[in-house]
Amino acid sequence: MLKVLIVGGVAGGASAAARLRRNDEHAQIVLFERGDYISFANCGLPYYIGDVIQEKSKLTLQTPESFRERFRVDVRVGSEVTAIDPKNKQVTVRRTSDGSTYQEGYDKLLLSPGAEPLRPRLPGFDSKKVFTLRNIPDTYAIKDFCDTAKPKRAVIIGGGYIGIEVAENLHHLGIHVTIIQMTDHILPPADADMAAQLHNHLREKGVALRLNTSVQEIKETKDGLTFSLSDNTTLCADFAILSAGVKPESKLAKDAGLKTGLRDAILVDDTLKTSNNDIYAVGDAIQVTDWASGTPAYIPLASPANKQGRIAADNICGGNLKYEGSQGSSVLKVFDLSFASTGLSEERLKATATPYLKSYTYSSSNASYYPGGLPISIKLLFAPDTGRILGAQAIGYTGVDKRIDVIATVLRLGGTVNDLTRLELCYAPPFSSAKDPVNMAGYTAENILQKRVRPFYAENVADIDLKKATLLDVRTKEEFEGGSIPGAVNIPLDSLREELGQLRKDQPVYLFCQIGLRGYLASRILMQSGFGHVENLSGGYRLWNEIQKDHTAPAESQDCGCPDEAAATCAPCKPSGKTIVVDACGLSCPGPILEVNKALKEACDGEVLAVKATDPAFFSDIQGFCKRTGNLLIDSHFDGRQFCATLQKHSAAPACEAPADSGNDKSIIVFSGDLDKAIAAFIIANGAAAMGRKVHMFFTFWGLNILRKPEKTSVRKDFISSMFGRMMPRGSRRLGLSKLNMGGMGPKLIRSVMQNKNISSLEDLMKEAIKNGVEITACTMSMDVMGIKQEELIDGIKSGGVATFLANAEESDTNLFI
């Protein structure tokens, strides 16, 4: 009868024990676990701390008793294997209850000891207020501390997966969190450019980041802990979580003479056999082969450990299965966002001098016309000669795991970017687009391989010599005016063919749009029009701006923003007991904020608003709205389908809120009579009004047509004025577009699209502006020149001259000309 001993009862060990019993009903199987728990959910531990998982029993997949009953495995908890005697094929076991020891013989031995947290040998790291999180007792210790000590501030040392998950869950408990990370970005599987979006999201949630910083010393004080940092600053907190990585628990194997490799991980062959024929090893303690590169690697993840346990069990029973390597596929929840990756990162490719190309794409999680579509950004890394996929990373609100799973499958099968374009994936508007984000990533990479486009990247922008090259922004004029890369000139894509004469064919042209698609179209135009050197910014202005925002983020403080650094001063006033539900789903900016503002006007002081929206901009908009209006934002989160916010009406700003500065009115001159520009003007006006700003709109020349009544008004005019009146559009419904008017078809099309997407019409925006107190003035001089009478204008319009506008402009901090 075969006798197998297993050291370690989590993941790989438990998986191997169950598989061994299925393979051999008569084998004697003994499972040693030095702790009191087996087969527990390591990855769920942070969520118990944050009360997401509320029952302790949910953390254990099997108990020693249930495992013993179902599989007839001799489970011995509280039993630590302290030595292996390979020659006599026996192990020494210490009972943790009393310290007594005994020997146990084996035919085959399986090691699954896992990994242990790295604990730097620096002063103060042994403090009882510096916790690690690796097992269930660790989890209970942290949870008990949070429940009893009621801490207000925590420091997370290390921004890996566990660190980020713990940070989020502590934040849910109302604890202010600072993450200290030695490198320039969190999450080792992520590249810095992708991590930038996660950094910005964490900051929006109130989590402080101290990057490129390490802890040199920790001192206990009567109030908690003081951290001395490598940048010569100090930080105070009530406790800390050490999450600086793990190392394989290989001492037992090394002492037994087994060979080790990277980071002292146990060396195994492709059958998971160690350097001793009767000893196997699996899980976080072993060295594996990186699937994408074929090189040795250390990849401690739960999914590979479970697969390895199954394979080792089969081979112990006479099989010859091969474990071909790990590719590091993983996913992480970061508040509202998800990050997933597979294969090699750009940083690892550079470290190994492996040739590669890369592309960035932004696609919607579902059909753009279906409500609730949210952006997914994908970074794809591939071989420059064959197009073989080397790795991928993705960030988004929903559907991220699905897309990386698909790419991981193609990578595992040795596929290329061309294979991504040929995949036939499930499609229905609520779930995807006819061209799935995975397909789009493939198309973009394929274009690079086929040299249909020549990419440049965010890190290359600073190296462009604007004296010898042109940096071209092909977005719309409105987008350009809203922010662009310094030194760029603007020629919108739709007018590029007509404006080619503005560009020099003997100079390189580096062009960009918002996400890269329009830049690709512009590249094709230029490349086929005699321009020899054309490059498109992969990821577009959006990625570049995300990186700049991350790099220029101010150093975060460790407090909530109040002068006394006490979060308690920011507590909401006593609620009235009434909660007002505001459903802003399906509305585009500024619709959700307008709905919030409307509800606040009707609410009493202290009443709470529960708001739901599907516009991604709502998350940041509601924070800015509350900050400027003095209302209290209690909570904001993404529930998987929509953005939710809870806020409380305050008639006055909280004591910890700085008073709004004076002279912050907004003034807008509307010169244009184009429909699209009129819509933009009133969206801005309504947004500012919703923020509590006084808004002045001054309509002159062609802009006056926006204010005309649609019906004919009987007024006395001279001949010239009558002619003007007949030639100009009467009212907002007859306005044309500045571009793509198409004989009147363009305005009809854009109105149809706005209606389908639940965006307010221009007429509704105008009514809303007047209702919100926006002051609209018609220029009397322009009215005289164009023969427009006051009676022809819609109700609620004042008339005035340039002095009226200038007086308003002097009280404004923003003046726009549209």
Side-chain angles (χ1 to χ4, degrees):
M1 182 174 62
L2 179 67
K3 182 178 182 181
V4 183
L5 304 185
I6 300 174
V7 179
V10 189
S15 177
R19 182 67 172 177
L20 280 166
R21 175 57 71 220
R22 293 194 295 271
N23 287 341
D24 188 343
E25 179 64 21
H26 304 291
Q28 182 182 357
I29 307 169
V30 183
L31 179 72
F32 298 102
E33 171 58 47
R34 68 183 169 199
D36 296 326
Y37 303 91
I38 67 164
S39 192
F40 58 84
N42 298 68
C43 300
L45 301 182
Y47 299 98
Y48 176 75
I49 295 171
D51 286 336
V52 177
I53 299 172
Q54 297 185 349
E55 297 179 30
K56 290 182 177 181
S57 61
K58 299 291 186 183
L59 296 176
T60 51
L61 307 177
Q62 292 277 358
T63 65
E65 294 76 21
S66 67
F67 202 82
R68 185 180 299 116
E69 290 175 4
R70 175 162 296 183
F71 298 106
R72 296 300 187 265
V73 171
D74 183 0
V75 180
R76 303 181 189 179
V77 295
S79 300
E80 181 182 8
V81 175
T82 58
I84 303 170
D85 181 357
K87 183 177 179 181
N88 295 307
K89 298 179 70 171
Q90 65 179 17
V91 299
T92 299
V93 185
R94 184 180 72 87
R95 298 183 181 93
T96 58
S97 59
D98 58 13
S100 62
T101 63
Y102 65 94
Q103 278 71 43
E104 189 79 34
Y106 63 84
D107 296 316
K108 299 291 182 181
L109 175 65
L110 175 66
L111 302 178
S112 182
E116 60 180 326
L118 288 170
R119 187 178 284 270
R121 295 181 179 178
L122 292 170
F125 276 79
D126 57 351
S127 167
K128 292 183 178 180
K129 292 184 178 180
V130 178
F131 298 89
T132 59
L133 181 59
R134 192 62 183 168
N135 52 40
I136 288 182
D138 290 344
T139 309
Y140 292 165
I142 297 170
K143 180 62 174 170
D144 290 345
F145 181 83
C146 293
D147 290 344
T148 57
K150 306 295 182 183
K152 295 179 180 179
R153 294 173 295 183
V155 164
I156 309 293
I157 304 173
Y161 279 73
I162 294 295
I164 300 302
E165 289 173 337
V166 173
E168 178 178 349
N169 281 278
L170 292 178
H171 180 85
H172 290 333
L173 297 179
I175 299 170
H176 186 271
V177 178
T178 298
I179 299 174
I180 300 176
Q181 174 66 21
M182 290 182 63
T183 60
D184 64 352
H185 69 277
I186 60 172
L187 299 179
D191 287 317
D193 48 15
M194 295 296 284
Q197 185 176 348
L198 301 176
H199 292 169
N200 295 329
H201 186 63
L202 285 166
R203 293 184 182 107
E204 288 173 357
K205 289 296 186 179
V207 174
L209 296 179
R210 302 292 292 269
L211 304 175
N212 290 311
T213 306
S214 60
V215 178
Q216 303 296 301
E217 183 181 11
I218 303 174
K219 291 182 179 179
E220 281 201 43
T221 66
K222 64 177 183 178
D223 297 320
L225 299 173
T226 299
F227 301 81
S228 299
L229 306 181
S230 58
D231 59 1
N232 296 320
T233 63
T234 58
L235 193 63
C236 296
D238 299 306
F239 71 110
I241 306 291
L242 182 57
S243 179
V246 297
K247 62 180 179 179
E249 287 209 40
S250 58
K251 184 178 185 301
L252 182 66
K254 289 173 64 178
D255 290 347
L258 301 182
K259 293 182 179 179
T260 58
L262 289 176
R263 300 174 64 175
D264 278 341
I266 304 170
L267 280 179
V268 295
D269 62 16
D270 56 7
T271 69
L272 299 171
K273 186 184 298 181
T274 69
S275 54
N276 184 289
N277 285 332
D278 295 314
I279 303 177
Y280 291 76
V282 299
D284 293 356
I286 70 170
Q287 175 181 299
V288 297
T289 298
D290 187 290
W291 174 266
S293 66
T295 58
Y298 179 62
I299 304 176
L301 292 172
S303 180
N306 278 278
K307 294 176 178 63
Q308 292 158 11
R310 179 186 175 94
I311 292 172
D314 283 355
N315 291 338
I316 287 173
C317 293
N320 190 33
L321 299 182
K322 308 289 186 184
Y323 183 72
E324 298 176 336
S326 303
Q327 60 195 77
S329 299
S330 58
V331 65
L332 174 71
K333 180 179 180 293
V334 186
F335 287 90
D336 301 335
L337 290 175
S338 298
F339 168 79
S341 67
T342 188
L344 300 169
S345 65
E346 184 176 5
E347 292 177 3
R348 288 188 62 196
L349 288 166
K350 286 182 177 178
T352 56
T354 303
Y356 69 94
L357 292 174
K358 61 179 178 177
S359 65
Y360 302 86
T361 52
Y362 291 90
S363 306
S364 179
S365 59
N366 55 263
S368 59
Y369 56 81
Y370 186 87
L374 297 166
I376 297 176
S377 58
I378 297 178
K379 178 178 183 177
L380 192 63
L381 298 150
F382 50 97
D385 50 354
T386 63
R388 183 173 70 88
I389 297 171
L390 302 174
Q393 299 162 43
I395 297 174
Y397 293 92
T398 183
V400 168
D401 53 341
K402 168 184 173 180
R403 272 64 189 209
I404 289 297
D405 280 344
V406 172
I407 297 175
T409 302
V410 177
L411 188 158
R412 191 75 181 188
L413 298 175
T416 68
V417 297
N418 306 97
D419 293 316
L420 298 184
T421 69
R422 292 190 286 262
L423 290 175
E424 185 176 329
L425 303 173
C426 296
Y427 161 63
F431 303 102
S432 183
S433 299
K435 293 180 180 177
D436 189 85
V438 171
N439 297 135
M440 295 303 297
Y443 291 138
T444 301
E446 186 180 62
N447 285 332
I448 293 173
L449 277 176
Q450 295 176 351
K451 299 187 176 6
R452 290 180 175 273
V453 65
R454 182 176 178 179
F456 74 105
Y457 303 99
E459 62 266 28
N460 305 135
V461 170
D463 298 327
I464 298 174
D465 186 347
L466 296 178
K467 295 179 181 178
K468 300 178 181 178
T470 301
L471 183 60
L472 177 62
D473 186 340
V474 298
R475 299 176 301 158
T476 65
K477 181 181 178 182
E478 291 76 16
E479 288 176 290
F480 177 76
E481 291 175 347
S484 187
I485 299 176
V489 296
N490 179 224
I491 303 178
L493 172 64
D494 294 337
S495 58
L496 180 60
R497 292 179 179 88
E498 291 74 30
E499 304 293 339
L500 288 178
Q502 296 187 32
L503 303 173
R504 293 180 56 177
K505 293 185 177 181
D506 61 342
Q507 280 191 348
V509 178
Y510 298 90
L511 51 84
F512 65 93
C513 63
Q514 187 67 13
I515 61 174
L517 177 57
R518 282 175 289 174
Y520 166 64
L521 299 177
S523 292
R524 299 304 299 158
I525 292 172
L526 295 183
M527 291 171 70
Q528 296 176 75
S529 299
F531 288 80
H533 189 128
V534 180
E535 298 188 24
N536 178 38
L537 179 59
S538 187
Y541 177 77
R542 174 173 172 168
L543 177 60
W544 179 88
N545 191 50
E546 198 79 59
I547 295 170
Q548 296 305 306
K549 182 180 177 182
D550 179 29
H551 288 173
T552 58
E556 295 90 346
S557 66
Q558 62 176 326
D559 56 52
C560 69
C562 302
D564 61 358
E565 298 187 14
T569 61
C570 285
C573 61
K574 186 177 181 180
S576 66
K578 180 180 178 182
T579 297
I580 301 170
V581 177
V582 179
D583 187 354
C585 294
L587 298 178
S588 298
C589 178
I593 292 298
L594 292 177
E595 290 296 312
V596 170
N597 188 55
K598 185 188 302 181
L600 283 171
K601 288 181 178 178
E602 299 173 356
C604 298
D605 196 44
E607 289 185 341
V608 173
L609 270 63
V611 191
K612 293 184 177 181
T614 50
D615 178 19
F618 175 70
F619 182 79
S620 57
D621 285 352
I622 193 64
Q623 296 184 58
F625 174 85
C626 289
K627 182 178 180 180
R628 296 293 290 176
T629 60
N631 295 290
L632 179 67
L633 181 62
I634 299 172
D635 174 65
S636 61
H637 67 277
F638 179 69
D639 68 1
R641 297 185 301 111
Q642 51 201 5
F643 298 90
C644 307
T646 305
L647 59 149
Q648 188 176 47
K649 180 173 180 177
H650 276 195
S651 59
C656 65
E657 185 96 32
D661 49 357
S662 58
N664 51 11
D665 293 0
K666 314 298 175 188
S667 295
I668 304 174
I669 302 176
V670 183
F671 176 85
S672 172
D674 296 323
L675 173 62
D676 45 341
K677 296 177 182 177
I679 292 171
F682 278 97
I683 286 176
I684 295 170
N686 278 315
M691 298 288 286
R693 306 301 100 193
K694 181 64 177 176
V695 182
H696 311 277
M697 300 183 75
F698 189 74
F699 287 76
T700 182
F701 283 96
W702 314 113
L704 291 170
N705 293 312
I706 302 170
L707 305 180
R708 294 179 72 188
K709 295 176 180 177
E711 67 276 3
K712 185 175 181 180
T713 305
S714 178
V715 291
R716 293 180 60 86
K717 294 185 179 182
D718 57 34
F719 176 76
I720 298 297
S721 296
S722 297
M723 288 291 293
F724 260 116
R726 284 194 290 269
M727 290 187 294
M728 293 186 300
R730 185 182 291 120
S732 60
R733 293 192 179 277
R734 298 189 180 183
L735 301 179
L737 290 178
S738 60
K739 303 291 183 184
L740 298 178
N741 192 54
M742 298 184 291
M745 287 298 295
K748 293 180 181 178
L749 179 62
I750 197 169
R751 285 180 180 273
S752 174
V753 172
M754 291 173 66
Q755 183 178 5
N756 290 337
K757 292 183 175 292
N758 290 321
I759 301 174
S760 299
S761 66
L762 172 57
E763 293 70 36
D764 289 340
L765 288 169
M766 293 169 66
K767 291 177 183 178
E768 191 72 31
I770 294 172
K771 184 179 178 181
N772 287 335
V774 174
E775 184 180 280
I776 301 177
T777 303
C779 175
T780 52
M781 181 274 292
S782 298
M783 290 172 65
D784 287 340
V785 170
M786 305 182 75
I788 296 176
K789 304 294 185 180
Q790 183 74 36
E791 296 89 334
E792 295 181 85
L793 302 182
I794 60 176
D795 295 337
I797 307 301
K798 300 179 180 179
S799 58
V802 66
T804 300
F805 169 74
L806 291 175
N808 292 331
E810 289 178 355
E811 296 296 321
S812 303
D813 62 3
T814 301
N815 292 282
L816 303 177
F817 185 90
I818 298 177

